[in-house]
């Protein structure tokens, strides 16, 4: 027996959009046949025979011709083509219309197999029309007219037909020379599903399944266009506060679950006409339709904050979160999409800078602040080259002996137009832009060179930004600064916050161990204000704990500050660490700290941060008084 032909040509006298011919097509395709279709509802025998011949001309190998009814006449005429391996006739009948089973004899050449469209019976093949139901949806006459019109113009027509089982069949009618056309049918179900998945991925966030920035922008473009019809709306930018700390300290899996929970809670705060989107990271947005009422938007913002503050279980971790919200209203704050987005963003950052866990509605002053910040960034890039920075030094005083034990180096910026700019104003900009690496290295080098001129028992404390620590060459810069100045390593004390450790726990701890082996002292700054200070005290042997000024401020009050300070002092003493209280301003605070067992203090009570010249005088004067007292 010869090898099975791989090609099949279906010849049909009418339209092939019905489920019957679709079933034939798919049964053949499922069994590995390459299928083409020829059809012509005008029943032009010569045209169909010519079209069939054209198809047969380009077939790669032997081909089976399949037809029924009028199609049988076509395949009989075209069956003499050299590529034809078999002729198969399929009968159709409708018992409900009184038709009898009318099977036409299959006449394949001897030994040639026939495609098993339906199981053979008595040597015949047949297709029972009752087994299938027409799946054509729409106006048949209109469809026919469209196909005929396109055919007359020499243009192809395409239609997607959904079968009863949900499959999508694409039917393409391609005109051929001499009249008629070739119809091809292709199951595009999987391709359509794949395209739909790709489209969904392009417009929705994979983690939360919320619309993403792209989809939100398209939605906003429509909202902006509707402003002319008197339809206002508002944009709420929502930033989850302190998410970085949660994500890094508890793990990305917990962080991802928190974001999903936030998304679900935001959905619950809005109506069906509103859009909730995730912009990326820990930032979300709500497009509130149909309102410019600040009272209504205030109520919504407060509802969001209340909802988000409720503790949520994330993979066994109970987390209470908060958010900062910025609101821009259209058309009150503009009718340009980019301007509105920028103003919602500015309002959100205003909420963050004013304490977090709150909301702000845009006001024009925010634009002025943004321009000022941009100008400050430009000035900051030039300030170091222009010599506008100075290092000031604040003494650290032993509470028991009342002697200066060290000085903390603090950066000051003397702006040529604005005068002295507070560090809280420019350090965040330096960290955001990466300029802190250059500034930090300059402070370290300058301060080490200055400390060499002090008495040998006076230590130097230098603050280190988390950004500096991430550079990978930070330890080498410390070694270089010590070597260049000649300062002994045990006189240098680096003050870090736990943000240094949270961002890259293991790598940071390794770097700290390397520095400590050199003899450099390490102090944990702003203790008690972060997420997990106690865990870091167990993992790294710090030399000192600096107690944040917020606890010192309430030391004499009725709150728990004194108990907290006592606890920190006890923890430090148990681990052979010293303690320094920041922001000491009164004798009462000083006396209480001494009673509680704190080691050192710094603050305005003894001296503010002063210039290098003044700190030399202070050290000399203080040393002289100490000698006299002895």
């Amino acid at each position: 027996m010869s090898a099975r032909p791989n090609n099949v040509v279906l010849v049909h006298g009418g339209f092939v959009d019905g489920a019957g011919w679709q079933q034939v097509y798919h049964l053949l395709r499922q069994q590995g046949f390459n299928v083409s279709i020829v059809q012509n509802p005008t029943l032009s025998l010569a045209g169909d025979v010519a079209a069939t011949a054209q198809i047969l001309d380009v077939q790669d190998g032997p081909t089976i011709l399949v037809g029924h009814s009028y199609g049988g006449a076509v395949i009989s005429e075209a069956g003499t083509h050299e590529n034809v391996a078999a002729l198969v006739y399929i009968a159709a009948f409708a018992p409900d219309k009184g038709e009898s089973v009318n099977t036409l004899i299959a006449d394949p050449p001897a030994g040639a197999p026939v495609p098993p469209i339906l199981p053979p019976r008595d040597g015949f093949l047949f297709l029972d029309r009752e087994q299938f139901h027409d799946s054509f949806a729409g106006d048949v006459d209109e469809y026919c007219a469209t196909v005929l019109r396109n055919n007359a113009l020499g243009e192809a027509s395409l239609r997607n037909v959904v079968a009863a089982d949900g499959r999508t069949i694409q039917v393409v009618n391609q005109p051929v020379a001499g009249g008629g056309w070739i119809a091809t049918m292709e199951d595009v179900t999987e391709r359509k599903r794949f395209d739909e998945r790709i489209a969904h991925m392009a417009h929705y966030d994979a983690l939360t399944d919320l619309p993403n920035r792209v989809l939100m922008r398209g939605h906003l473009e429509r909202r902006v266009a509707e402003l002319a019809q008197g339809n206002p709306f508002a944009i709420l930018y929502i930033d989850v506060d302190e998410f970085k700390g949660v994500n890094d300290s508890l793990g990305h899996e917990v962080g991802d679950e928190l974001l999903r929970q936030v998304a679900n809670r935001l959905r619950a705060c809005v109506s069906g006409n509103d859009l909730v989107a995730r912009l990326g990271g820990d930032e979300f947005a709500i497009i509130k339709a149909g309102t410019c009422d600040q009272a209504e938007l205030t109520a919504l913002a407060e509802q969001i904050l209340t909802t988000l503050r409720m503790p949520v279980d994330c993979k066994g971790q109970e987390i209470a979160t908060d958010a900062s919200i910025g609101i821009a209203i259209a058309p009150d704050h503009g009718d340009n999409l980019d301007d509105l987005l920028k103003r919602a963003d500015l309002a959100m950052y205003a909420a963050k800078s004013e304490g977090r866990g709150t909301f702000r509605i845009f006001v024009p002053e925010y634009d002025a602040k943004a321009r000022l910040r941009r100008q400050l960034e430009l000035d900051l890039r030039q300030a170091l080259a222009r010599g506008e920075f100075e290092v000031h030094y604040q003494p650290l005083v032993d509470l028991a002996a009342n002697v200066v034990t060290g000085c903390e180096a603090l950066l000051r910026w003397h702006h040529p137009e604005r005068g002295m700019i507070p560090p809280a104003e420019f350090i965040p900009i330096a960290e955001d832009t990466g300029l802190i690496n250059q500034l930090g290295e300059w402070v370290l080098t300058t301060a080490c060179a200055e400390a060499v001129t002090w008495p040998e028992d006076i230590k130097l404390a230098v603050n280190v930004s988390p950004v500096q620590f991430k550079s990978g060459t930070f330890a080498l810069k410390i070694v270089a600064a010590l070597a260049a100045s000649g300062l002994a390593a045990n006189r240098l004390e680096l003050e870090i916050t736990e943000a240094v450790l949270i961002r890259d726990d293991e790598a940071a701890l390794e770097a700290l161990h390397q520095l400590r082996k050199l003899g450099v002292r390490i102090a944990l700054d702003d203790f008690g204000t972060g997420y997990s200070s106690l865990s870091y005290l167990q993992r790294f042997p710090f030399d000192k704990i600096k107690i944040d000024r917020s606890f010192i401020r309430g030391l004499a009050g009725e709150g728990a500050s004194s108990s907290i300070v006592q606890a920190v002092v006890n923890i430090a003493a148990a681990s052979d660490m010293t303690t320094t209280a920041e922001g000491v301003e009164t004798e009462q605070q000083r006396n209480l700290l001494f009673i509680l067992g704190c080691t050192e203090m710094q603050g305005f009570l003894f001296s503010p941060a002063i210039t290098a010249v003044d700190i030399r005088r202070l050290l000399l004067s203080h040393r002289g008084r100490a000698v006299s007292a002895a």
Side-chain angles (χ1 to χ4, degrees):
M1 181 175 293
S2 61
R4 187 191 81 164
N6 290 324
N7 305 315
V8 174
V9 175
L10 297 177
V11 182
H12 181 42
F15 290 96
V16 296
D17 301 82
W21 277 97
Q22 292 173 16
Q23 185 76 10
V24 171
Y25 172 82
H26 286 288
L27 286 170
L28 291 169
R29 288 296 301 268
Q30 288 169 8
Q31 299 195 33
F33 289 97
N34 302 316
V35 184
S36 301
I37 300 175
V38 181
Q39 68 174 12
N40 187 353
T42 62
L43 304 183
S44 168
L45 180 60
D48 278 350
V49 171
T52 305
Q54 289 182 23
I55 291 292
L56 291 170
D57 287 341
V58 298
Q59 295 300 305
D60 183 17
T63 303
I64 299 171
L65 284 180
V66 180
H68 86 94
S69 181
Y70 162 79
V74 176
I75 68 173
S76 296
E77 291 288 332
T80 58
H81 195 283
E82 61 182 2
N83 283 341
V84 174
L87 301 179
V88 177
Y89 299 91
I90 303 176
F93 65 99
D96 59 318
K97 296 180 180 179
E99 297 179 10
S100 61
V101 176
N102 175 24
T103 59
L104 300 177
I105 299 175
D107 186 22
V114 297
I117 300 171
L118 291 177
R121 187 169 66 190
D122 300 328
F124 301 102
L125 292 171
F126 68 94
L127 174 64
D128 186 346
R129 193 183 301 165
E130 279 290 296
Q131 294 176 344
F132 310 105
H133 301 281
D134 192 359
S135 63
F136 185 90
D139 190 315
V140 176
D141 291 336
E142 180 183 348
Y143 174 62
C144 293
T146 300
V147 174
L148 291 172
R149 182 174 64 252
N150 289 349
N151 185 57
L153 296 173
E155 298 175 356
S157 58
L158 180 148
R159 182 184 181 89
N160 285 338
V161 179
V162 179
D165 60 1
R167 290 176 296 109
T168 300
I169 312 301
Q170 187 178 82
V171 182
V172 180
N173 301 294
Q174 182 67 49
V176 296
W181 62 86
I182 299 169
T184 57
M185 302 174 66
E186 180 181 4
D187 187 336
V188 295
T189 306
E190 288 306 316
R191 187 173 75 193
K192 184 180 178 185
R193 288 173 183 167
F194 178 77
D195 290 344
E196 289 171 350
R197 286 197 297 272
I198 293 297
H200 187 86
M201 290 169 62
H203 294 94
Y204 286 84
D205 173 56
L207 180 64
T208 63
D209 204 37
L210 288 176
N212 62 14
R213 189 183 295 270
V214 174
L215 185 57
M216 184 192 77
R217 187 174 182 89
H219 178 85
L220 281 171
E221 287 171 350
R222 292 189 292 275
R223 290 292 182 199
V224 169
E226 293 172 0
L227 287 174
Q229 303 167 18
N231 298 324
F233 66 91
I235 302 172
L236 288 80
Y237 264 12
I238 303 159
D239 184 89
V240 180
D241 291 337
E242 304 296 346
F243 175 74
K244 180 69 174 175
V246 173
N247 201 34
D248 290 346
S249 62
L250 300 178
H252 291 284
E253 189 175 352
V254 173
D256 287 349
E257 178 60 24
L258 177 60
L259 291 176
R260 282 190 285 265
Q261 296 281 3
V262 169
N264 291 336
R265 291 184 174 191
L266 291 179
R267 286 190 187 100
C269 291
V270 299
S271 66
N273 292 329
D274 305 323
L275 180 84
V276 181
R278 183 185 176 206
L279 306 182
D282 56 2
E283 290 190 1
F284 296 81
I286 291 176
I287 312 304
K288 179 65 179 174
T291 186
C292 58
D293 184 349
Q294 291 199 12
E296 181 180 350
L297 293 169
T298 294
L300 174 59
E302 290 174 343
Q303 179 190 357
I304 292 170
L305 292 173
T306 300
T307 302
L308 293 181
R309 286 167 185 157
M310 295 174 60
V312 58
D313 183 272
C314 296
K315 304 292 184 180
Q317 297 280 349
E318 188 173 88
I319 300 172
T321 190
D322 216 326
S324 299
I325 303 174
I327 305 173
I329 305 169
D332 296 8
H333 301 144
D335 56 7
N336 176 276
L337 175 54
D338 291 325
D339 287 344
L340 288 166
L341 291 172
K342 182 185 75 173
R343 286 163 185 169
D345 195 48
L346 289 174
M348 182 190 73
Y349 276 100
K352 292 180 77 70
S353 65
E354 294 173 28
R356 302 176 184 264
T358 187
F359 69 92
R360 290 292 181 268
I361 297 174
F362 174 80
V363 291
E365 288 79 2
Y366 295 159
D367 263 333
K369 287 182 180 180
R371 287 193 297 271
L372 180 61
R373 188 186 189 280
R374 285 194 295 271
Q375 186 59 51
L376 203 60
E377 179 183 333
L378 294 174
D379 293 344
L380 188 60
R381 294 183 182 278
Q382 303 296 325
L384 190 57
R386 294 173 179 167
E388 296 172 6
F389 288 110
E390 296 178 9
V391 179
H392 286 195
Y393 302 89
Q394 185 171 36
L396 306 173
V397 180
D398 185 290
L399 280 166
N402 195 31
V403 296
V404 176
T405 54
C407 297
E408 180 179 355
L410 298 167
L411 184 61
R412 296 292 184 261
W413 180 13
H414 192 282
H415 193 280
E417 297 175 1
R418 297 180 54 193
M420 296 298 288
I421 297 179
E425 208 171 311
F426 69 85
I427 292 296
I429 299 175
E431 290 183 325
D432 289 345
T433 59
L435 290 170
I436 194 66
N437 287 306
Q438 188 178 0
L439 284 176
E441 187 174 356
W442 180 82
V443 169
L444 179 66
T445 302
T446 303
C448 284
E450 174 61 29
V452 172
T453 68
W454 304 339
E456 291 186 358
D457 58 341
I458 302 297
K459 294 180 173 57
L460 168 68
V462 178
N463 290 282
V464 178
S465 163
V467 179
Q468 289 175 265
F469 229 87
K470 289 175 62 179
S471 69
T473 60
F474 178 69
L476 293 176
K477 291 176 180 177
I478 297 293
V479 172
L482 291 173
S485 64
L487 184 70
N490 63 1
R491 292 183 60 193
L492 177 62
E493 186 172 273
L494 300 179
E495 297 187 1
I496 68 168
T497 64
E498 63 184 60
V500 168
L501 300 166
I502 286 175
R503 297 192 181 190
D504 194 356
D505 196 325
E506 296 303 326
L509 287 173
E510 177 61 28
L512 290 175
H513 279 293
Q514 290 176 0
L515 290 169
R516 207 159 186 268
K517 286 178 182 178
L518 294 174
V520 175
R521 292 168 54 84
I522 309 295
L524 182 59
D525 199 8
D526 299 335
F527 182 81
T529 60
Y531 271 94
S532 48
S533 298
L534 290 175
S535 68
Y536 289 118
L537 290 179
Q538 292 177 329
R539 299 185 62 188
F540 183 80
F542 289 94
D543 296 285
K544 177 188 289 186
I545 298 176
K546 298 196 72 174
I547 304 171
D548 188 70
R549 66 181 62 246
S550 60
F551 298 112
I552 307 306
R553 192 179 302 121
L555 198 58
E558 298 180 355
S561 291
S562 61
S563 299
I564 294 172
V565 171
Q566 182 70 78
V568 173
V569 168
N570 292 341
I571 291 170
S575 302
D576 198 27
M577 292 182 283
T578 60
T579 50
T580 298
E582 298 179 294
V584 179
E585 298 179 355
T586 68
E587 286 289 348
Q588 184 183 25
Q589 291 171 344
R590 173 180 178 159
N591 293 335
L592 286 172
L593 288 167
F594 176 74
I595 293 170
L596 292 172
C598 189
T599 313
E600 294 176 332
M601 72 163 192
Q602 71 180 109
F604 278 31
L605 176 64
F606 184 81
S607 172
I610 54 180
T611 67
V613 172
D614 290 337
I615 198 67
R616 289 179 208 163
R617 291 175 182 156
L618 183 147
L619 292 174
L620 184 61
S621 171
H622 190 73
R623 178 60 56 95
R625 288 199 301 271
V627 170
S628 299

